[in-house]
Amino acid sequence: MSENEKQIAKLALLGESIGLFGQAITTLAAYLALEEEEIEEDQLAKMQEQIDFLLNEITTMKK
C-alpha cells in the first residue's frame, strides 16, 4: 500500500469518526428534547390540578 493510499484510508477513517460523533450528538439532542417535553407535560398536569383545586374552592365559597 502506497503512502498516498494510507493517507486516504486515514482520512476516510477520520471522516467516519466525525460522522459517528455527529450522530451521537444528534441522538443526545433528541433524547434531551423528549425529556424536556416530559417535564413540560408534568408541569402542565400539576398546574391543571392546581386550577381544578382553586375552582373547587371558589365553588365551595359561593355556596
Side-chain angles (χ1 to χ4, degrees):
M1 183 182 280
S2 71
E3 189 63 32
N4 193 26
E5 289 174 332
K6 288 180 184 179
Q7 287 179 340
I8 291 170
K10 287 178 183 179
L11 285 174
L13 180 61
L14 178 62
E16 288 294 322
S17 299
I18 292 170
L20 182 61
F21 184 67
Q23 288 176 349
I25 291 173
T26 302
T27 302
L28 178 60
Y31 171 77
L32 292 174
L34 288 174
E35 190 174 271
E36 179 68 24
E37 188 174 301
E38 287 178 13
I39 291 170
E40 288 177 5
E41 288 176 6
D42 288 343
Q43 289 174 342
L44 288 174
K46 287 178 184 176
M47 289 171 60
Q48 185 62 50
E49 287 177 20
Q50 291 173 343
I51 290 169
D52 292 341
F53 174 77
L54 291 172
L55 287 173
N56 194 13
E57 289 291 312
I58 290 171
T59 303
T60 303
M61 290 174 76
K62 280 185 174 180
K63 293 179 180 179

